Amino acid sequence: MPEIAFEDKRHFFMTLCKAALFFNQNSQFISMMQDMFTTNHLLAQQVTSEFNQYTEELLSFVNSYNSSEILTLSRVRADPDRIYIDGCWDIMHSGHFNAIRQAKMLGKILVVGVHNDDEIVRNKGMPVMTNQERLSMVRACKWVDEVVENAPYSATEGWLDSLNCRYIAHGDDIAINSEGVDAYAQLKNAGRFKIIKRTEGISTTMIVGKLLLMTVENKAAYSEPMIATDINYKSNFIATTRRISEFANRTRRPEGKIIYVDGSFDLFHIGHVETLKKAKELGDFLIVGVHDDLTVNQHKGSNYPIMNLYERVLNVLAVKYVDEVVIAAPWTITEDLLKSLNIQMVVQGSISKLDVEHSQRRKQSLEYNDEEDDPYLLPKALGIYQEVQSESELETKHIISRIIENRLKVLNKYQKSSKKEQSYYENGKTYVEEL
């Protein structure tokens, strides 16, 4: 017989015990079975041989009988191929996407729970992004099969069962709830918890730290700059080629009408995603150009980009509308770029990288050029440039403004979270292999 998984084998042994009870209560079956297995029928010999392979394990199972364990097993009927992961998903970043990707590898269907604002405030503090913005970002992720709104911060067995999910996945760091205990303690004790690797050096806390630092230099944009000593930001981000390979769409080939969109895609948000979705609807294969850090800084100004090139590329690759990414894409669309990628249409959102409202900030860059040409001059001349209406008015500057406007509340939350992260790196961190 084929090898049976441990939990399936326990279920198999329970079935045998149930059958024994049934036959013991029906004497006519006992006589029938004795006749069946005293014959030399080939099938009877085969079944006897297979049963003998399990006799020792069955006896061990009976001798080590634990009522609470068996009762727990009998309650767990959820599908082991349906994996659950939950989170706040605030200021969505590559660490979030990598957790979702790893969770999907544990099963066939990934169900993602999103905590509402009340749950987040009660357990962690006020989120930066709205509930709908967070939900929309999760729905846009290519590894997500189902999204559950209003997910509890501390999931229970009953919650998993209601979703028909056998296991919950979470990183190797501890999530503390409002009561000061591990939010996943119950599921860990029940054997329904799967550990995935926490992505090094990227978190919402670290991003908030960067945004708080922006008040130091952006005095033209904000009237009350924060001094740098108010926070302590240190990056532990580790870039690997394996991760970018896992994010990439290796099975998709550039066929049909090829669309190209470019930008910095800094502080990745739903405005970016909706533009990418509209661009993809115009063709068959969407290529996204992501500008390198120096190029973004030259055009956006000091403190930009907030996320480095590697992080921004991973974010874009995680979206289900994106087929391919050009890393360190040129600012200006050239004939060589169009021919090399066989681009048939160049698209930008109505809120584009050339937004005039950013002009003052761009002039803070080291190499700003007032006479710079329109980077889309060539595709416009060729008649292959199209602008799509940006469905969301959300921009990177708005997210920064939310942080600055609530700087004191955000700083208190940041300091508490950063201490927790520092403790993880110094005391709790152990090696966990990334899936």
Side-chain angles (χ1 to χ4, degrees):
M1 291 182 68
E3 184 65 25
I4 301 177
F6 176 67
E7 290 191 0
D8 292 336
K9 190 176 293 184
R10 292 200 302 176
H11 188 274
F12 170 63
F13 288 156
M14 283 289 290
T15 302
L16 288 180
C17 293
K18 180 64 176 177
L21 287 173
F22 173 76
F23 290 127
N24 188 56
Q25 294 169 1
N26 295 270
S27 57
Q28 62 187 41
F29 283 109
I30 296 177
S31 177
M32 181 189 74
M33 287 188 296
Q34 289 174 340
D35 291 339
M36 286 173 58
F37 289 104
T38 53
T39 66
N40 291 321
H41 192 279
L42 182 60
L43 179 59
Q45 293 177 357
Q46 182 180 357
V47 170
T48 300
S49 175
E50 291 172 351
F51 178 76
N52 288 339
Q53 296 178 33
Y54 292 107
T55 301
E56 185 176 343
E57 290 183 72
L58 177 58
L59 290 173
S60 176
F61 173 79
V62 173
N63 292 332
S64 61
Y65 169 75
N66 181 299
S67 59
S68 60
E69 180 181 354
I70 298 302
L71 289 174
T72 298
L73 174 65
S74 66
R75 289 199 306 266
V76 179
R77 299 295 184 190
D79 189 343
D81 283 327
R82 287 177 58 85
I83 307 298
Y84 177 73
I85 187 171
D86 60 12
C88 306
W89 315 115
D90 196 24
I91 311 183
M92 203 75 169
H93 54 70
S94 60
H96 291 140
F97 288 127
N98 198 37
I100 291 173
R101 180 192 65 80
Q102 292 182 81
K104 178 60 181 284
M105 294 186 69
L106 296 171
K108 296 178 180 178
I109 301 295
L110 181 63
V111 182
V112 181
V114 181
H115 309 314
N116 61 33
D117 290 347
D118 290 340
E119 277 288 270
I120 298 174
V121 169
R122 183 164 52 252
N123 291 278
K124 298 186 70 173
M126 190 65 192
V128 176
M129 312 304 287
T130 69
N131 192 60
Q132 286 305 312
E133 287 167 352
R134 293 182 288 106
L135 281 166
S136 297
M137 289 300 291
V138 172
R139 290 192 177 106
C141 179
K142 64 185 179 183
W143 297 293
V144 175
D145 297 298
E146 299 175 22
V147 177
V148 180
E149 301 182 34
N150 304 313
Y153 194 82
S154 299
T156 63
E157 286 194 80
W159 176 253
L160 287 190
D161 290 341
S162 71
L163 301 173
N164 193 26
C165 295
R166 178 78 63 87
Y167 301 107
I168 189 172
H170 190 268
D172 52 303
D173 56 325
I174 296 178
I176 304 298
N177 62 21
S178 59
E179 298 177 358
V181 299
D182 185 348
Y184 301 108
Q186 182 189 122
L187 296 175
K188 288 178 179 178
N189 294 333
R192 301 181 69 175
F193 183 86
K194 297 285 187 180
I195 295 177
I196 54 178
K197 182 176 178 60
R198 184 183 191 274
T199 304
E200 304 288 343
I202 180 66
S203 68
T204 300
T205 299
M206 291 180 176
I207 294 172
V208 168
K210 288 184 181 182
L211 297 182
L212 288 171
L213 281 172
M214 290 193 71
T215 53
V216 177
E217 295 185 33
N218 270 345
K219 295 179 182 179
Y222 305 106
S223 59
E224 297 182 3
M226 178 178 293
I227 59 175
T229 53
D230 283 345
I231 63 173
N232 179 25
Y233 171 73
K234 178 182 178 182
S235 174
N236 297 299
F237 190 80
I238 298 175
T240 64
T241 54
R242 178 190 169 188
R243 189 174 300 155
I244 199 167
S245 175
E246 293 293 343
F247 272 61
N249 300 312
R250 288 168 285 183
T251 59
R252 300 184 191 176
R253 302 187 64 82
E255 299 174 338
K257 186 177 182 179
I258 298 176
I259 310 297
Y260 182 78
V261 177
D262 66 1
S264 59
F265 299 98
D266 201 13
L267 273 190
F268 203 52
H269 55 73
I270 191 57
H272 294 134
V273 170
E274 289 175 344
T275 296
L276 295 175
K277 179 182 179 181
K278 282 197 166 188
K280 179 60 179 287
E281 291 172 349
L282 295 174
D284 304 297
F285 192 91
L286 179 62
I287 301 176
V288 181
V290 181
H291 304 311
D292 64 77
D293 296 345
L294 179 59
T295 298
V296 174
N297 178 263
Q298 289 173 349
H299 294 88
K300 299 290 186 180
S302 54
N303 289 311
Y304 288 92
I306 296 158
M307 295 176 142
N308 66 42
L309 175 62
Y310 185 87
E311 296 172 271
R312 292 182 285 116
V313 166
L314 290 178
N315 288 340
V316 172
L317 279 172
V319 174
K320 58 187 176 183
Y321 312 114
V322 177
D323 297 298
E324 180 63 287
V325 168
V326 176
I327 302 174
W331 182 262
T332 300
I333 306 295
T334 64
E335 183 178 3
D336 181 68
L337 180 69
L338 295 176
K339 289 182 177 179
S340 296
L341 300 177
N342 193 28
I343 297 168
Q344 278 97 62
M345 180 178 289
V346 176
V347 175
Q348 277 282 288
S350 54
I351 301 177
S352 73
K353 67 181 184 182
L354 300 177
D355 187 355
V356 293
E357 292 183 13
H358 286 304
S359 60
Q360 184 178 12
R361 190 168 298 171
R362 286 202 298 271
K363 289 180 181 179
Q364 295 180 36
S365 66
L366 300 177
E367 299 180 26
Y368 178 78
N369 181 4
D370 281 305
E371 304 300 324
E372 187 171 34
D373 292 331
D374 181 353
Y376 302 109
L377 197 61
L378 178 59
K380 287 177 180 178
L382 295 174
I384 61 170
Y385 177 86
Q386 183 167 333
E387 185 178 284
V388 296
Q389 182 63 41
S390 298
E391 294 295 326
S392 172
E393 295 183 355
L394 183 66
E395 299 178 54
T396 301
K397 64 179 182 179
H398 297 144
I399 301 174
I400 297 171
S401 295
R402 292 177 187 178
I403 297 291
I404 304 308
E405 289 169 3
N406 297 281
R407 57 189 292 271
L408 295 180
K409 292 180 181 179
V410 171
L411 180 59
N412 291 334
K413 177 182 175 182
Y414 168 80
Q415 290 174 330
K416 182 186 297 184
S417 298
S418 61
K419 287 180 180 178
K420 175 187 169 185
E421 289 194 4
Q422 184 177 358
S423 175
Y424 163 77
Y425 282 113
E426 293 178 355
N427 306 311
K429 178 181 175 181
T430 57
Y431 175 73
V432 175
E433 184 177 0
E434 185 167 320
L435 300 178

